[in-house]
Amino acid sequence: MTTAPGLDRAGLDRLHDRLAGHVERGAVPGLVALVARGADVHTEVLGSAALGDRAPPRRDAIFRIASLTKPIAAAGAMALVDDGVLFLGDPVETYLPELSDRRVLRSLESALDDTVPAERSITVEDLLTFRLGFGAIMAPPGAYPVQVAEAELGLMTLGPPWPPPPFGSDEWIRRFATLPLLEQPGAAWRYNTGAHVLGVLLERASGQPLEAFLRARLFEPLGMADTSFSVPAEKQGRFTTAYRPDPATGALEVLDPPVGGWWSEPPAMANAAGMLVSTIDDLWAFVSMLLSGGRHEGEQLLSLASVADMTRDHLTAAQRASATLFLGDHGWGYGMAAPGPLRGEPPIPWGFGWNGGTGTAWSSDPARGLTGILLTTRAMTSPEPPPHFVDFWGAAYGAQGD
């Protein structure tokens, strides 16, 4: 691919070699990557869509993007804010009456009935900033009573979202409302559940199923034709196989097949926390819209103010400090990481974006004008970036031209 000024040819060759090394060693079966600086966009398509398949993946291969769903859902929420349908300070019980009169555990170790009243309502902004008072617990499953109860309810919000629950969003929020919060609303950052609840809120506020709403407000205007919560039969030939390492041996095993898997039919509940599929070009269209201040082909899909709110840090110093396992040196915007206060040189990567547990990553660095998107078929096993992520970002930043 020819490149214009902005990306360095030798640097892009190193990017190819580093990514190809992971594929050739069998660590990553297949990937599609994009690096962009200004109008200069470079892509890599390596490996295969499935182990044992000699055919390379197509550039329009469909990947499970996992938590890259979160910023897309956040953008949907901001579209409703721009419309005046939602307000960031609104209590969520306006649309989710199930979440009125919340109770809060006295401590994480407490029994579910050992609670105090919530000091205030959960707001729309609390969902976007993951400060609603509920989310990931950094302990083995079943370590605390609330984890046991969440698992029994089948909510799939304190860990991986698969297999997807067999019930719809109304039943999901009804079950979630039987649990107390872990902290007072606004007090702490906890991963994941804010996006889960946000998806239900978007359905209620828009009066549409979540996918229909996102399609009308984002996917169709941006040309994101392959972004969805399921993959129809006519597209399954482009759908990659998802793998995860065996905990004991490290050997790759199938997490989800392209046919007959969790995405083969529309889900009972469209999960805004992590269940979209997409392609490199669909995601680049979404990211480009944010980089253009909410504009796409002359149409203002999001206001400048909404994009600014999405991509800036909203956390306190204490909240950032408690979240370093997930966020590193970053803060949190709306549905994604955002640049936090810096002490010295910015790390690599730096900017706004996020990672997905199925092996996906995106970051846009406004200071350096660099964006990277990586879609792979190897699932992550912890919040710590795997070696191929580290190599991707090192090489992507090394490919900056003058």
Side-chain angles (χ1 to χ4, degrees):
M1 179 177 182
T2 59
T3 59
L7 292 171
D8 173 68
R9 180 74 258 174
L12 293 176
D13 289 343
R14 288 191 294 272
L15 172 72
H16 171 89
D17 291 344
R18 288 193 185 183
L19 292 178
H22 290 282
V23 172
E24 290 162 3
R25 289 190 293 274
V28 181
L31 63 87
V32 181
L34 179 147
V35 179
R37 195 172 186 218
D40 189 358
V41 181
H42 176 84
T43 59
E44 294 282 349
V45 182
L46 296 167
S48 61
L51 289 172
D53 184 353
R54 294 185 178 182
R58 295 165 44 165
R59 176 176 170 137
D60 62 356
I62 299 171
F63 292 80
R64 301 152 191 80
I65 64 170
S67 289
L68 294 190
T69 304
K70 292 175 169 71
I72 294 173
M78 298 313 292
L80 292 182
V81 170
D82 287 340
D83 290 348
V85 173
L86 288 179
F87 295 89
L88 294 172
D90 279 350
V92 297
E93 59 256 37
T94 302
Y95 293 101
L96 304 174
E98 297 93 336
L99 299 186
S100 60
D101 301 320
R102 293 290 80 204
R103 304 289 298 184
V104 182
L105 287 175
R106 289 186 186 275
S107 71
L108 197 54
E109 296 80 8
S110 295
L112 297 190
D113 59 357
D114 185 12
T115 62
V116 298
E119 296 169 358
R120 65 165 176 82
S121 296
I122 301 167
T123 66
V124 173
E125 188 170 44
D126 289 333
L127 301 183
L128 291 162
T129 60
F130 287 16
R131 295 184 292 190
L132 74 161
F134 198 97
I137 297 170
M138 302 314 296
Y144 299 106
V146 69
Q147 291 174 289
V148 174
E150 188 272 342
E152 290 174 349
L153 291 168
L155 298 176
M156 307 303 290
T157 192
L158 294 182
W162 44 73
F167 43 82
S169 57
D170 288 343
E171 177 64 12
W172 190 93
I173 202 70
R174 185 196 70 77
R175 294 186 183 205
F176 175 69
T178 66
L179 295 175
L181 300 178
L182 310 182
E183 286 105 4
Q184 291 289 339
W189 186 90
R190 281 190 182 269
Y191 188 56
N192 197 57
T193 305
H196 223 139
V197 177
L198 180 68
V200 186
L201 180 89
L202 292 178
E203 290 193 333
R204 301 269 182 94
S206 69
Q208 297 176 278
L210 181 60
E211 179 156 343
F213 166 68
L214 292 175
R215 188 162 304 285
R217 294 307 299 266
L218 293 173
F219 302 163
E220 289 182 355
L222 289 168
M224 298 171 66
D226 293 319
T227 303
S228 177
F229 286 101
S230 61
V231 180
E234 64 271 17
K235 294 184 179 182
Q236 287 175 357
R238 291 191 283 127
F239 195 25
T240 56
T241 300
Y243 296 92
R244 61 184 169 193
D246 180 275
T249 66
L252 293 180
E253 58 185 20
V254 174
L255 172 64
D256 185 68
V259 179
W262 295 320
W263 281 266
S264 292
E265 296 181 358
M269 175 182 178
N271 180 356
M275 291 296 280
L276 281 175
V277 301
S278 193
T279 65
I280 200 77
D281 289 308
D282 278 13
L283 285 172
W284 176 231
F286 173 74
V287 172
S288 296
M289 179 270 293
L290 294 181
L291 292 170
S292 299
R295 292 184 69 80
H296 176 74
E297 296 183 349
E299 183 180 0
Q300 195 76 40
L301 299 183
L302 292 179
S303 69
L304 280 169
S306 285
V307 174
D309 279 345
M310 285 183 67
T311 57
R312 69 177 177 87
D313 180 30
H314 294 269
L315 303 187
T316 66
Q319 289 165 350
R320 282 191 301 274
S322 71
T324 54
L325 178 64
F326 282 97
L327 300 180
D329 295 319
H330 282 74
W332 192 255
Y334 289 164
M336 59 182 161
L342 272 177
R343 298 175 183 172
E345 286 296 312
I348 294 175
W350 181 245
F352 55 87
W354 196 229
N355 295 338
T358 47
T360 59
W362 154 49
S363 182
S364 290
D365 186 331
R368 302 177 178 102
L370 185 79
T371 287
I373 304 172
L374 178 64
L375 305 180
T376 83
T377 56
R378 179 191 174 112
M380 299 172 65
T381 55
S382 81
E384 190 72 21
H388 54 284
F389 278 29
V390 175
D391 280 354
F392 170 69
W393 289 119
Y397 274 81
Q400 295 177 95
D402 295 332

